[in-house]
Amino acid sequence: MLTKRASRFTFTTTLACIFCMSALSHANAQLAEQSNEKLNTVTLAAAPFETYVNDDGEPARVNELVSTALAQSGTDANLKVMRQAFLGSAVRAGRVDGEYALLDMGQQTEGVITSNVFLPLYLYAASKDADVEQIKIFQHLKRNRVAIENRFANTPNFRLIKDIKWSRNPSTFDAFRQLADDRAPYLITSELLIREFNTLLANDREETLHYSAKPLMKSGFQLAIRDDVPNAQKIINNFNNAVSVMQQNGQYNKLLQIDWLRKDINQDGIADYIGHSDITRTSSLLKTAYNLDSTPTSDDSVFVLDGTVFTSKAEAFNALPNSEENGSEENAIEENGIEENGTEAEKRDVMNKSISLLDATTYETLLRRW
């Protein structure tokens, strides 16, 4: 016989599951209605950003996310990649209708309507030295040389940070080369880029990068459309709705090529785990889930696979395809609760995938210097 406490827990989780399924169904219906209503075509631009924004056939997470969300929300979009120096003036002069990968780093964004953050960006300090794991705030990097891309260094948020010897670089490759050549002991870059570079290192059997205990700065990608563009607010609203659905049904996992995502999908203040059977496997570690919001996980977190809600980890993993590699034993001993700041060994478990979105041939020269 169930105790009152157990009965109450079962009733609560059942209600949560019903709420999640209802919310997903409603969101999908709303998205289908939006996609049938074609809005005007917009031309949006962004500056190149390795693995995020590209126009030469290389992996481009943000291109894929934005084009898919706009298409599903009923907006035809032409995405262009241009140099950062020309981007702002192109928007202001009306040569493009807005930006599709706006990063709010303290700049003013007057005259545009912005979406919700559709992909958070977490900036960490990375290093070959394990001591970086003790760093929690920028002040811990005082008087050190730190490599950074110009896209971050030339923004108000970073110009306000003093007493750090910034080694500015025009590209992601150049920033990582600072570490490879030991010209800078530290690098500030995004979590996803550290993951991709560590995958290259792991595949080359090199020691992987360590990184700070927590992100030193948080930002996120937004869609920005000039406020004089017809239907601008409606395009933004429909885009937000489409993104929400894609983040909940696992489509985002496929586009980002990330096994697990974390987000509170039932508004209970607790992050839930989202996966998709095309990419998530039984060997995919929950501790590597990428955070789409700031909510913590708990024993009450639910699992969503392909839009189907599971109230327990066991049920969810039983529904996943088996991994072809020997990763299931490691998952078997993994705890349901995830510490917000895991050990460096846990963080490096992200290399359970074998292919990096960074081009191995391009980075081969850096790996030889490691």
Side-chain angles (χ1 to χ4, degrees):
M1 180 178 296
L2 290 174
T3 65
K4 290 183 179 180
R5 181 177 179 182
S7 299
R8 186 163 54 251
F9 174 77
T10 303
F11 178 71
T12 302
T13 53
T14 301
L15 281 180
C17 186
I18 293 172
F19 180 85
C20 289
M21 290 187 289
S22 176
L24 284 170
S25 299
H26 175 73
N28 280 312
Q30 188 178 30
L31 181 57
E33 183 179 344
Q34 289 173 187
S35 62
N36 290 329
E37 179 188 357
K38 283 292 179 183
L39 300 173
N40 52 297
T41 300
V42 292
T43 299
L44 305 172
F49 188 2
E50 199 157 2
T51 78
Y52 292 99
V53 175
N54 276 307
D55 64 348
D56 55 3
E58 294 297 316
R61 293 180 170 103
V62 171
N63 292 49
E64 296 291 339
L65 295 176
V66 171
S67 59
T68 302
L70 286 172
Q72 293 188 5
S73 63
T75 299
D76 292 324
N78 175 30
L79 304 185
K80 301 175 62 175
V81 178
M82 61 175 58
R83 290 174 58 185
Q84 183 70 49
F86 303 136
L87 182 57
S89 60
V91 175
R92 290 190 295 272
R95 292 191 293 273
V96 296
D97 297 313
E99 297 185 44
Y100 69 88
L102 176 68
L103 279 174
D104 181 8
M105 303 296 294
Q107 305 100 318
Q108 292 184 342
T109 54
E110 296 178 356
V112 297
I113 302 171
T114 56
S115 72
N116 300 333
V117 170
F118 63 82
L119 178 62
L121 186 80
Y122 304 103
L123 297 178
Y124 283 81
S127 177
K128 295 180 181 179
D129 193 330
D131 287 348
V132 73
E133 296 169 25
Q134 307 303 316
I135 291 174
K136 297 181 179 179
I137 54 177
F138 278 110
Q139 284 80 352
H140 294 163
L141 292 170
K142 273 186 178 181
R143 294 179 292 279
N144 282 288
R145 182 170 295 279
V146 180
I148 189 172
E149 285 190 58
N150 289 338
R151 74 178 66 254
F152 303 126
N154 297 336
T155 62
N157 283 357
F158 276 92
R159 284 198 294 266
L160 294 173
I161 301 173
K162 308 298 182 182
D163 301 323
I164 292 178
K165 301 174 183 177
W166 295 114
S167 178
R168 293 170 170 80
N169 298 272
S171 70
T172 300
F173 178 85
D174 292 318
F176 277 108
R177 185 165 58 182
Q178 294 282 327
L179 278 183
D181 292 346
D182 295 321
R183 285 184 283 167
Y186 299 103
L187 164 70
I188 296 292
T189 191
S190 75
E191 177 184 354
L192 292 181
L193 284 175
I194 296 173
R195 290 187 181 196
E196 300 303 337
F197 191 69
N198 272 351
T199 299
L200 287 179
L201 291 171
N203 289 343
D204 206 46
R205 299 190 177 183
E206 296 284 356
E207 183 179 354
T208 55
L209 287 176
H210 304 263
Y211 50 106
S212 51
K214 57 175 64 176
L216 304 186
M217 188 175 291
K218 299 178 183 179
S219 184
F221 292 98
Q222 295 174 281
L223 189 70
I225 299 179
R226 291 197 332 270
D227 55 14
D228 60 349
V229 172
N231 296 316
Q233 186 63 66
K234 192 165 189 178
I235 292 171
I236 292 293
N237 293 343
N238 288 357
F239 175 80
N240 287 336
N241 291 335
V243 165
S244 181
V245 172
M246 291 165 57
Q247 288 179 340
Q248 294 180 40
N249 64 18
Q251 194 171 9
Y252 246 48
N253 298 72
K254 295 175 62 177
L255 295 172
L256 284 175
Q257 299 190 38
I258 295 177
D259 298 345
W260 287 109
L261 300 173
R262 282 171 45 178
K263 182 183 179 181
D264 178 10
I265 63 169
N266 52 11
Q267 289 78 55
D268 63 354
I270 297 170
D272 306 300
Y273 293 102
I274 306 164
H276 195 285
S277 58
D278 284 354
I279 187 171
T280 312
R281 294 293 181 266
T282 54
S283 61
S284 301
L285 301 177
L286 291 178
K287 59 172 65 73
T288 65
Y290 192 74
N291 300 336
L292 295 179
D293 62 20
S294 58
T295 53
T297 58
S298 81
D299 291 338
D300 294 330
S301 298
V302 299
F303 294 76
V304 184
L305 297 174
D306 305 343
T308 300
V309 180
F310 299 86
T311 56
S312 75
K313 177 185 173 183
E315 291 177 342
F317 273 73
N318 284 337
L320 285 171
N322 289 323
S323 173
E324 293 78 16
E325 300 177 357
N326 296 325
S328 56
E329 290 184 8
E330 192 169 8
N331 258 316
I333 63 173
E334 182 187 6
E335 297 180 0
N336 285 333
I338 309 300
E339 292 294 331
E340 195 66 28
N341 297 311
T343 66
E344 181 60 25
E346 289 173 335
K347 290 177 181 177
R348 292 202 301 273
D349 281 339
V350 72
M351 278 80 72
N352 67 323
K353 63 178 182 177
S354 59
I355 299 175
S356 173
L357 295 184
L358 294 173
D359 182 68
T361 302
T362 301
Y363 281 80
E364 184 179 2
T365 55
L366 300 192
L367 299 181
R368 284 200 230 103
R369 303 173 188 178
W370 206 249

Short mmCIF file of all heavy atoms in Angstrom, two decimals, residues 189-238:
data_model
loop_
_atom_site.label_atom_id
_atom_site.label_comp_id
_atom_site.label_asym_id
_atom_site.label_seq_id
_atom_site.Cartn_x
_atom_site.Cartn_y
_atom_site.Cartn_z
N THR A 189 36.16 31.87 -24.10
CA THR A 189 35.37 31.49 -25.26
C THR A 189 34.10 30.79 -24.81
O THR A 189 33.89 30.59 -23.61
CB THR A 189 36.19 30.62 -26.23
OG1 THR A 189 35.48 30.47 -27.48
CG2 THR A 189 36.44 29.23 -25.64
N SER A 190 33.28 30.39 -25.76
CA SER A 190 31.98 29.81 -25.40
C SER A 190 32.11 28.34 -25.01
O SER A 190 33.03 27.63 -25.44
CB SER A 190 31.00 29.93 -26.57
OG SER A 190 31.30 29.00 -27.60
N GLU A 191 31.17 27.90 -24.19
CA GLU A 191 31.17 26.50 -23.73
C GLU A 191 31.13 25.53 -24.90
O GLU A 191 31.85 24.52 -24.91
CB GLU A 191 29.97 26.27 -22.81
CG GLU A 191 29.83 24.83 -22.34
CD GLU A 191 28.58 24.59 -21.52
OE1 GLU A 191 27.85 25.56 -21.22
OE2 GLU A 191 28.32 23.41 -21.19
N LEU A 192 30.30 25.82 -25.90
CA LEU A 192 30.18 24.89 -27.01
C LEU A 192 31.46 24.80 -27.83
O LEU A 192 31.80 23.72 -28.34
CB LEU A 192 29.00 25.29 -27.91
CG LEU A 192 27.61 25.15 -27.29
CD1 LEU A 192 26.52 25.54 -28.28
CD2 LEU A 192 27.38 23.73 -26.77
N LEU A 193 32.19 25.91 -27.97
CA LEU A 193 33.46 25.86 -28.69
C LEU A 193 34.51 25.09 -27.91
O LEU A 193 35.33 24.36 -28.49
CB LEU A 193 33.95 27.28 -28.99
CG LEU A 193 33.23 27.99 -30.14
CD1 LEU A 193 33.71 29.42 -30.27
CD2 LEU A 193 33.44 27.24 -31.45
N ILE A 194 34.51 25.21 -26.58
CA ILE A 194 35.43 24.40 -25.77
C ILE A 194 35.11 22.92 -25.95
O ILE A 194 36.02 22.09 -26.11
CB ILE A 194 35.34 24.80 -24.28
CG1 ILE A 194 35.79 26.24 -24.06
CG2 ILE A 194 36.20 23.87 -23.43
CD1 ILE A 194 35.56 26.76 -22.66
N ARG A 195 33.84 22.59 -25.95
CA ARG A 195 33.45 21.19 -26.15
C ARG A 195 33.96 20.68 -27.50
O ARG A 195 34.50 19.56 -27.58
CB ARG A 195 31.92 21.06 -26.12
CG ARG A 195 31.28 21.26 -24.75
CD ARG A 195 29.81 20.92 -24.85
NE ARG A 195 29.09 21.09 -23.59
CZ ARG A 195 27.89 20.59 -23.35
NH1 ARG A 195 27.27 19.90 -24.30
NH2 ARG A 195 27.30 20.78 -22.19
N GLU A 196 33.78 21.47 -28.55
CA GLU A 196 34.18 21.02 -29.88
C GLU A 196 35.70 20.87 -29.97
O GLU A 196 36.20 19.90 -30.57
CB GLU A 196 33.68 22.00 -30.94
CG GLU A 196 32.17 22.17 -31.00
CD GLU A 196 31.41 20.88 -31.23
OE1 GLU A 196 32.00 19.91 -31.76
OE2 GLU A 196 30.22 20.83 -30.88
N PHE A 197 36.44 21.80 -29.39
CA PHE A 197 37.90 21.71 -29.43
C PHE A 197 38.38 20.53 -28.60
O PHE A 197 39.33 19.82 -29.00
CB PHE A 197 38.53 23.01 -28.95
CG PHE A 197 40.01 23.09 -29.21
CD1 PHE A 197 40.49 23.22 -30.50
CD2 PHE A 197 40.91 23.03 -28.16
CE1 PHE A 197 41.86 23.28 -30.74
CE2 PHE A 197 42.28 23.10 -28.39
CZ PHE A 197 42.76 23.23 -29.69
N ASN A 198 37.74 20.29 -27.47
CA ASN A 198 38.12 19.13 -26.64
C ASN A 198 37.85 17.82 -27.37
O ASN A 198 38.57 16.84 -27.17
CB ASN A 198 37.37 19.17 -25.31
CG ASN A 198 38.10 19.98 -24.26
OD1 ASN A 198 39.24 20.38 -24.46
ND2 ASN A 198 37.45 20.24 -23.14
N THR A 199 36.81 17.79 -28.18
CA THR A 199 36.55 16.58 -28.96
C THR A 199 37.67 16.33 -29.95
O THR A 199 38.12 15.19 -30.14
CB THR A 199 35.20 16.71 -29.70
OG1 THR A 199 34.15 16.87 -28.75
CG2 THR A 199 34.92 15.47 -30.54
N LEU A 200 38.17 17.40 -30.61
CA LEU A 200 39.32 17.26 -31.50
C LEU A 200 40.53 16.73 -30.74
O LEU A 200 41.23 15.83 -31.21
CB LEU A 200 39.67 18.60 -32.14
CG LEU A 200 38.76 19.16 -33.23
CD1 LEU A 200 39.29 20.51 -33.70
CD2 LEU A 200 38.65 18.20 -34.40
N LEU A 201 40.78 17.31 -29.56
CA LEU A 201 41.93 16.89 -28.76
C LEU A 201 41.79 15.43 -28.32
O LEU A 201 42.76 14.66 -28.38
CB LEU A 201 42.07 17.78 -27.53
CG LEU A 201 42.50 19.23 -27.78
CD1 LEU A 201 42.37 20.05 -26.50
CD2 LEU A 201 43.94 19.27 -28.29
N ALA A 202 40.59 15.07 -27.88
CA ALA A 202 40.37 13.69 -27.42
C ALA A 202 40.56 12.70 -28.56
O ALA A 202 41.14 11.63 -28.39
CB ALA A 202 38.98 13.57 -26.82
N ASN A 203 40.05 13.06 -29.74
CA ASN A 203 40.21 12.17 -30.90
C ASN A 203 41.68 12.03 -31.31
O ASN A 203 42.07 11.02 -31.90
CB ASN A 203 39.39 12.70 -32.08
CG ASN A 203 37.90 12.54 -31.86
OD1 ASN A 203 37.47 11.78 -31.00
ND2 ASN A 203 37.10 13.26 -32.63
N ASP A 204 42.47 13.06 -30.99
CA ASP A 204 43.90 13.03 -31.31
C ASP A 204 44.72 12.50 -30.13
O ASP A 204 45.95 12.56 -30.15
CB ASP A 204 44.37 14.45 -31.68
CG ASP A 204 45.59 14.43 -32.58
OD1 ASP A 204 45.59 13.66 -33.56
OD2 ASP A 204 46.54 15.18 -32.31
N ARG A 205 44.01 12.05 -29.09
CA ARG A 205 44.63 11.49 -27.89
C ARG A 205 45.54 12.50 -27.19
O ARG A 205 46.60 12.13 -26.65
CB ARG A 205 45.40 10.20 -28.22
CG ARG A 205 44.49 9.13 -28.79
CD ARG A 205 45.16 7.79 -28.89
NE ARG A 205 44.23 6.78 -29.38
CZ ARG A 205 44.50 5.49 -29.52
NH1 ARG A 205 45.69 5.04 -29.18
NH2 ARG A 205 43.59 4.66 -29.97
N GLU A 206 45.11 13.74 -27.20
CA GLU A 206 45.81 14.80 -26.49
C GLU A 206 45.05 15.14 -25.21
O GLU A 206 43.85 14.86 -25.09
CB GLU A 206 45.92 16.06 -27.36
CG GLU A 206 46.74 15.89 -28.62
CD GLU A 206 48.24 15.87 -28.34
OE1 GLU A 206 48.64 16.06 -27.17
OE2 GLU A 206 49.01 15.64 -29.30
N GLU A 207 45.76 15.76 -24.26
CA GLU A 207 45.09 16.19 -23.03
C GLU A 207 44.11 17.30 -23.35
O GLU A 207 44.44 18.26 -24.06
CB GLU A 207 46.12 16.67 -22.01
CG GLU A 207 45.48 17.06 -20.69
CD GLU A 207 46.50 17.53 -19.66
OE1 GLU A 207 47.70 17.44 -19.95
OE2 GLU A 207 46.07 17.99 -18.58
N THR A 208 42.91 17.19 -22.84
CA THR A 208 41.87 18.17 -23.16
C THR A 208 41.97 19.41 -22.28
O THR A 208 42.62 19.40 -21.23
CB THR A 208 40.48 17.54 -23.01
OG1 THR A 208 40.35 16.99 -21.69
CG2 THR A 208 40.25 16.46 -24.05
N LEU A 209 41.30 20.47 -22.73
CA LEU A 209 41.30 21.72 -21.98
C LEU A 209 40.50 21.59 -20.69
O LEU A 209 39.47 20.92 -20.63
CB LEU A 209 40.67 22.83 -22.82
CG LEU A 209 41.49 23.40 -23.98
CD1 LEU A 209 40.65 24.42 -24.75
CD2 LEU A 209 42.76 24.05 -23.46
N HIS A 210 40.98 22.27 -19.66
CA HIS A 210 40.22 22.46 -18.43
C HIS A 210 39.49 23.79 -18.56
O HIS A 210 39.91 24.67 -19.31
CB HIS A 210 41.16 22.50 -17.22
CG HIS A 210 42.04 21.30 -17.11
ND1 HIS A 210 41.75 20.22 -16.30
CD2 HIS A 210 43.22 21.01 -17.71
CE1 HIS A 210 42.70 19.32 -16.40
NE2 HIS A 210 43.62 19.77 -17.26
N TYR A 211 38.41 23.95 -17.79
CA TYR A 211 37.77 25.26 -17.81
C TYR A 211 37.16 25.62 -16.47
O TYR A 211 37.08 24.80 -15.56
CB TYR A 211 36.76 25.41 -18.95
CG TYR A 211 35.72 24.33 -19.15
CD1 TYR A 211 34.40 24.54 -18.80
CD2 TYR A 211 36.06 23.12 -19.76
CE1 TYR A 211 33.43 23.58 -19.03
CE2 TYR A 211 35.11 22.15 -20.00
CZ TYR A 211 33.79 22.39 -19.63
OH TYR A 211 32.84 21.43 -19.87
N SER A 212 36.82 26.91 -16.36
CA SER A 212 36.44 27.50 -15.07
C SER A 212 35.24 26.81 -14.45
O SER A 212 34.44 26.18 -15.14
CB SER A 212 36.17 28.99 -15.22
OG SER A 212 35.28 29.27 -16.27
N ALA A 213 35.13 26.96 -13.13
CA ALA A 213 34.08 26.27 -12.38
C ALA A 213 32.68 26.70 -12.81
O ALA A 213 31.73 25.93 -12.66
CB ALA A 213 34.26 26.54 -10.88
N LYS A 214 32.57 27.90 -13.34
CA LYS A 214 31.27 28.40 -13.80
C LYS A 214 31.52 29.41 -14.92
O LYS A 214 32.63 29.90 -15.09
CB LYS A 214 30.50 29.05 -12.65
CG LYS A 214 31.24 30.18 -11.97
CD LYS A 214 30.38 30.86 -10.91
CE LYS A 214 30.06 29.89 -9.78
NZ LYS A 214 29.28 30.55 -8.70
N PRO A 215 30.48 29.71 -15.70
CA PRO A 215 30.67 30.72 -16.74
C PRO A 215 30.98 32.08 -16.11
O PRO A 215 30.40 32.45 -15.09
CB PRO A 215 29.33 30.73 -17.48
CG PRO A 215 28.35 30.10 -16.55
CD PRO A 215 29.12 29.13 -15.72
N LEU A 216 31.90 32.82 -16.73
CA LEU A 216 32.28 34.14 -16.23
C LEU A 216 31.37 35.23 -16.77
O LEU A 216 31.29 36.32 -16.22
CB LEU A 216 33.73 34.45 -16.58
CG LEU A 216 34.77 33.43 -16.11
CD1 LEU A 216 36.17 33.93 -16.40
CD2 LEU A 216 34.60 33.12 -14.63
N MET A 217 30.68 34.93 -17.87
CA MET A 217 29.71 35.87 -18.42
C MET A 217 28.67 35.09 -19.22
O MET A 217 29.00 34.07 -19.84
CB MET A 217 30.39 36.91 -19.31
CG MET A 217 29.48 38.03 -19.78
SD MET A 217 30.35 39.33 -20.71
CE MET A 217 31.32 40.06 -19.39
N LYS A 218 27.43 35.55 -19.18
CA LYS A 218 26.35 34.90 -19.91
C LYS A 218 25.71 35.89 -20.87
O LYS A 218 25.50 37.05 -20.54
CB LYS A 218 25.29 34.37 -18.94
CG LYS A 218 25.80 33.33 -17.95
CD LYS A 218 24.71 32.89 -16.99
CE LYS A 218 25.24 31.91 -15.96
NZ LYS A 218 24.18 31.48 -15.00
N SER A 219 25.42 35.43 -22.05
CA SER A 219 24.70 36.22 -23.03
C SER A 219 23.78 35.26 -23.78
O SER A 219 23.42 34.21 -23.26
CB SER A 219 25.69 36.94 -23.97
OG SER A 219 24.99 37.80 -24.86
N GLY A 220 23.42 35.61 -25.00
CA GLY A 220 22.56 34.72 -25.76
C GLY A 220 22.23 35.30 -27.11
O GLY A 220 22.23 36.52 -27.31
N PHE A 221 21.96 34.43 -28.07
CA PHE A 221 21.61 34.85 -29.43
C PHE A 221 20.13 35.24 -29.49
O PHE A 221 19.27 34.55 -28.94
CB PHE A 221 21.87 33.71 -30.41
CG PHE A 221 23.32 33.39 -30.60
CD1 PHE A 221 23.90 32.35 -29.92
CD2 PHE A 221 24.10 34.14 -31.47
CE1 PHE A 221 25.25 32.04 -30.09
CE2 PHE A 221 25.45 33.85 -31.66
CZ PHE A 221 26.01 32.81 -30.97
N GLN A 222 19.88 36.35 -30.18
CA GLN A 222 18.52 36.83 -30.39
C GLN A 222 18.30 37.18 -31.85
O GLN A 222 19.25 37.51 -32.58
CB GLN A 222 18.24 38.08 -29.54
CG GLN A 222 18.26 37.86 -28.04
CD GLN A 222 18.13 39.17 -27.29
OE1 GLN A 222 19.10 39.90 -27.15
NE2 GLN A 222 16.92 39.46 -26.82
N LEU A 223 17.06 37.12 -32.28
CA LEU A 223 16.65 37.64 -33.57
C LEU A 223 16.30 39.11 -33.39
O LEU A 223 15.62 39.46 -32.42
CB LEU A 223 15.44 36.86 -34.08
CG LEU A 223 14.98 37.11 -35.51
CD1 LEU A 223 15.98 36.55 -36.51
CD2 LEU A 223 13.61 36.47 -35.73
N ALA A 224 16.78 39.98 -34.27
CA ALA A 224 16.49 41.41 -34.17
C ALA A 224 16.02 41.91 -35.53
O ALA A 224 16.72 41.74 -36.53
CB ALA A 224 17.73 42.18 -33.73
N ILE A 225 14.83 42.51 -35.57
CA ILE A 225 14.26 43.02 -36.82
C ILE A 225 13.95 44.51 -36.64
O ILE A 225 13.41 44.91 -35.59
CB ILE A 225 12.98 42.25 -37.20
CG1 ILE A 225 13.30 40.76 -37.42
CG2 ILE A 225 12.34 42.82 -38.46
CD1 ILE A 225 12.10 39.91 -37.77
N ARG A 226 14.29 45.32 -37.64
CA ARG A 226 14.00 46.74 -37.56
C ARG A 226 12.52 46.97 -37.31
O ARG A 226 11.66 46.29 -37.88
CB ARG A 226 14.39 47.47 -38.86
CG ARG A 226 15.88 47.54 -39.12
CD ARG A 226 16.21 48.61 -40.17
NE ARG A 226 15.14 48.84 -41.10
CZ ARG A 226 14.98 48.20 -42.26
NH1 ARG A 226 15.84 47.25 -42.60
NH2 ARG A 226 13.99 48.50 -43.06
N ASP A 227 12.23 47.94 -36.45
CA ASP A 227 10.83 48.16 -36.06
C ASP A 227 9.98 48.76 -37.16
O ASP A 227 8.75 48.84 -37.03
CB ASP A 227 10.74 49.01 -34.79
CG ASP A 227 11.48 50.33 -34.91
OD1 ASP A 227 11.83 50.73 -36.05
OD2 ASP A 227 11.71 50.98 -33.87
N ASP A 228 10.59 49.18 -38.30
CA ASP A 228 9.80 49.70 -39.42
C ASP A 228 9.53 48.64 -40.49
O ASP A 228 8.91 48.92 -41.52
CB ASP A 228 10.49 50.91 -40.06
CG ASP A 228 11.87 50.58 -40.60
OD1 ASP A 228 12.39 49.49 -40.30
OD2 ASP A 228 12.44 51.42 -41.33
N VAL A 229 9.98 47.41 -40.24
CA VAL A 229 9.69 46.30 -41.16
C VAL A 229 8.25 45.85 -40.95
O VAL A 229 7.82 45.62 -39.81
CB VAL A 229 10.66 45.12 -40.93
CG1 VAL A 229 10.25 43.91 -41.75
CG2 VAL A 229 12.09 45.54 -41.27
N PRO A 230 7.45 45.72 -42.03
CA PRO A 230 6.06 45.28 -41.87
C PRO A 230 5.97 43.96 -41.11
O PRO A 230 6.74 43.03 -41.36
CB PRO A 230 5.58 45.12 -43.32
CG PRO A 230 6.44 46.04 -44.11
CD PRO A 230 7.78 46.02 -43.44
N ASN A 231 5.04 43.90 -40.18
CA ASN A 231 4.78 42.69 -39.38
C ASN A 231 5.96 42.28 -38.51
O ASN A 231 6.07 41.11 -38.10
CB ASN A 231 4.39 41.51 -40.27
CG ASN A 231 3.10 41.72 -41.01
OD1 ASN A 231 2.12 42.18 -40.45
ND2 ASN A 231 3.10 41.39 -42.30
N ALA A 232 6.84 43.23 -38.19
CA ALA A 232 8.05 42.88 -37.43
C ALA A 232 7.70 42.21 -36.10
O ALA A 232 8.27 41.18 -35.74
CB ALA A 232 8.91 44.12 -37.19
N GLN A 233 6.77 42.81 -35.35
CA GLN A 233 6.44 42.26 -34.04
C GLN A 233 5.80 40.88 -34.18
O GLN A 233 6.08 39.97 -33.38
CB GLN A 233 5.49 43.19 -33.29
CG GLN A 233 5.19 42.77 -31.86
CD GLN A 233 6.42 42.75 -30.98
OE1 GLN A 233 7.01 43.80 -30.71
NE2 GLN A 233 6.83 41.57 -30.52
N LYS A 234 4.98 40.70 -35.20
CA LYS A 234 4.32 39.40 -35.39
C LYS A 234 5.35 38.34 -35.79
O LYS A 234 5.27 37.19 -35.34
CB LYS A 234 3.23 39.51 -36.45
CG LYS A 234 2.33 38.29 -36.51
CD LYS A 234 1.07 38.59 -37.30
CE LYS A 234 0.08 37.44 -37.16
NZ LYS A 234 -1.18 37.72 -37.89
N ILE A 235 6.30 38.73 -36.62
CA ILE A 235 7.36 37.78 -36.99
C ILE A 235 8.13 37.34 -35.75
O ILE A 235 8.41 36.15 -35.57
CB ILE A 235 8.32 38.43 -38.02
CG1 ILE A 235 7.61 38.66 -39.35
CG2 ILE A 235 9.56 37.56 -38.23
CD1 ILE A 235 8.40 39.48 -40.34
N ILE A 236 8.46 38.30 -34.90
CA ILE A 236 9.19 37.99 -33.67
C ILE A 236 8.36 37.08 -32.76
O ILE A 236 8.86 36.09 -32.22
CB ILE A 236 9.57 39.28 -32.92
CG1 ILE A 236 10.62 40.07 -33.70
CG2 ILE A 236 10.07 38.97 -31.51
CD1 ILE A 236 11.97 39.41 -33.80
N ASN A 237 7.07 37.41 -32.58
CA ASN A 237 6.21 36.60 -31.72
C ASN A 237 6.11 35.16 -32.24
O ASN A 237 6.20 34.19 -31.46
CB ASN A 237 4.82 37.21 -31.63
CG ASN A 237 4.81 38.54 -30.89
OD1 ASN A 237 5.76 38.87 -30.18
ND2 ASN A 237 3.75 39.32 -31.06
N ASN A 238 5.89 35.02 -33.55
CA ASN A 238 5.78 33.69 -34.13
C ASN A 238 7.10 32.92 -34.02
O ASN A 238 7.12 31.71 -33.79
CB ASN A 238 5.36 33.78 -35.59
CG ASN A 238 3.91 34.21 -35.75
OD1 ASN A 238 3.19 34.38 -34.77
ND2 ASN A 238 3.48 34.40 -36.98
#
